Amino acid sequence: MKDEEKLNRRGWLRSVGLATGAAGLLSVSAKAAAAAQSADENDPGIFNVAAYGAKGDGIADDTDAIQNAINAAGNFSKANVSKGGVVVLPTGVYQVSKTLLITQAVKIFGHGQATIDGATHIVPSSLGFDVFKIVGVNWGVVLEGFHIKGYNYAGTGGHFLRIEGCQHVHVHGVHLINCWNGALVDSSGDVYFYDLNVSGADVPGEGRFGIKCTAASKGNPNATQALNCNVSQWGKNVRTMDGFVLANGYNSLAAINCGALNCNRGFWSTKDGGVAPNFFVISGVGCSDHSNRAIALDDGGFTQVSGMCITSSYVDNITVGDNITGPVAFSHCVVSASSDAGYRITS
């Protein structure tokens, strides 16, 4: 049975729900993407990867072609700050073998989710490298409308998205499937994930995550929002991936209308070998199902949890550790324990 069929049969995604306000916001973004993709190819701000040699046939290595298009769009953005460069990935399957680096304000648009694997489908050659790495960009990076899906499970430790030392990055309608790690936000601020689906590769390996915010590098580690995002894991190695992680000095993560399925810890705050993080907001119509721990607050300051549905945890539904220094508030939450799990407060 395919993963998508399992999700539909389980009915889990329906329990997460979608916000109508977010749908309106994303419809505007989708129109912008369509406009970019249908724009006159002679527009100097549009950079189609096909013009740089990308085949999109699932056979050729398109890494250099896509990188050259990104570089050209970045140079255009640098010279035309008021407009910015747009990279278009037409329908196709793009094989990549090394990191695609973004160091200037660019917008990258695919053709959305028209098929089960996405009309625009990026396939990394292994799980051992960062597929997209965005470094030191203050404003103007948008990624929208494509799949990144791994088939080769060789390699460890990579991220399908890595955002380092940036500000104002938007990721819309992107699916990260069969990844080692999903998205890492490192010392970046005002990062927004909308309708992001993350599914971990079915391989052994502890310490993996769907979306993680940390302050390991230089920058402004503050204010990431995940809206209508899901982290799930299927196969023989379930519950080895953490869902939404607030770690090591990061100031604020808000997970709104988000779900975690078969994760180790669905929502987790931790020092992660550094210092305690600060504000963790988990709200909306959210869900954690069949995780080891639904919500694990090991270290941190202020936490607010509202509108959560927590079911079938294997170890604990909610754990509040004695290193939490600020208030923890719960409201309008539903907890159903089908295992031996329950509330545990060790403070």
Side-chain angles (χ1 to χ4, degrees), residues 291-292 311-319 335-344:
S291 297
N292 281 332
T311 63
S312 305
S313 303
Y314 282 83
V315 179
D316 278 322
N317 285 317
I318 301 169
T319 301
V335 178
S336 173
S338 61
S339 301
D340 295 329
Y343 292 100
R344 181 195 295 180

Side-chain angles (χ1 to χ4, degrees), residues 127-130 155-159 162 180-181 208:
L127 305 179
F129 64 94
D130 299 333
T156 61
H159 310 81
R162 185 184 186 113
W180 183 268
N181 293 307
R208 300 155 62 201

Side-chain angles (χ1 to χ4, degrees), residues 124 127 131-132 148-150 158-161 176-179 181-182:
L127 305 179
V131 180
F132 279 97
I148 305 176
K149 187 170 184 178
H159 310 81
F160 277 7
L161 297 179
L176 312 177
I177 309 300
N178 297 342
C179 57
N181 293 307

Side-chain angles (χ1 to χ4, degrees), residues 102-312:
I102 300 172
T103 59
Q104 298 288 342
V106 298
K107 299 173 179 64
I108 301 178
F109 290 128
H111 274 256
Q113 314 303 328
T115 70
I116 193 170
D117 284 326
T120 299
H121 185 184
I122 298 173
V123 179
S125 59
S126 81
L127 305 179
F129 64 94
D130 299 333
V131 180
F132 279 97
K133 186 174 182 179
I134 310 166
V135 181
V137 184
N138 184 50
W139 192 284
V141 174
V142 175
L143 307 180
E144 181 168 338
F146 53 84
H147 270 52
I148 305 176
K149 187 170 184 178
Y151 292 96
N152 185 347
Y153 287 176
T156 61
H159 310 81
F160 277 7
L161 297 179
R162 185 184 186 113
I163 303 168
E164 184 177 312
C166 296
Q167 296 290 309
H168 309 289
V169 177
H170 290 230
V171 181
H172 304 162
V174 173
H175 293 272
L176 312 177
I177 309 300
N178 297 342
C179 57
W180 183 268
N181 293 307
L184 176 67
V185 179
D186 182 2
S187 300
S188 297
D190 291 336
V191 177
Y192 299 91
F193 296 110
Y194 303 100
D195 288 1
L196 182 74
N197 287 325
V198 182
S199 180
D202 187 19
V203 294
E206 300 292 335
R208 300 155 62 201
F209 55 82
I211 296 176
K212 180 178 180 179
C213 297
T214 186
S217 302
K218 292 182 178 180
N220 178 25
N222 184 38
T224 287
Q225 290 192 18
L227 177 64
N228 300 340
C229 297
N230 302 312
V231 179
S232 63
Q233 194 171 18
W234 297 100
K236 298 178 181 179
N237 296 279
V238 294
R239 291 179 289 280
T240 59
M241 169 178 273
D242 295 308
F244 300 82
V245 185
L246 176 64
N248 188 10
Y250 199 88
N251 193 42
S252 172
L253 168 61
I256 304 167
N257 292 2
C258 292
L261 174 63
N262 287 336
C263 291
N264 180 24
R265 289 156 290 214
F267 301 84
W268 182 33
S269 64
T270 172
K271 289 180 180 178
D272 195 32
V275 299
N278 205 347
F279 300 97
F280 203 178
V281 177
I282 306 165
S283 68
V285 185
C287 182
S288 176
D289 192 10
H290 283 92
S291 297
N292 281 332
R293 288 182 170 87
I295 298 174
L297 307 177
D298 292 342
D299 305 281
F302 301 86
T303 304
Q304 176 180 314
V305 182
S306 61
M308 281 292 295
C309 178
I310 298 171
T311 63
S312 305

Side-chain angles (χ1 to χ4, degrees), residues 37-101:
Q37 293 164 12
S38 62
D40 186 346
E41 292 184 358
N42 294 322
D43 186 328
I46 305 297
F47 299 85
N48 191 317
V49 297
Y52 291 82
K55 303 299 183 183
D57 59 4
I59 300 172
D61 186 341
D62 289 322
T63 310
D64 290 341
I66 297 173
Q67 184 65 66
N68 289 337
I70 291 172
N71 293 345
N75 290 334
F76 179 86
S77 295
K78 189 175 181 179
N80 300 270
V81 177
S82 61
K83 183 175 183 180
V86 175
V87 175
V88 176
L89 291 162
T91 298
V93 179
Y94 298 89
Q95 299 277 348
V96 295
S97 58
K98 58 185 177 182
T99 296
L100 298 168
L101 182 63

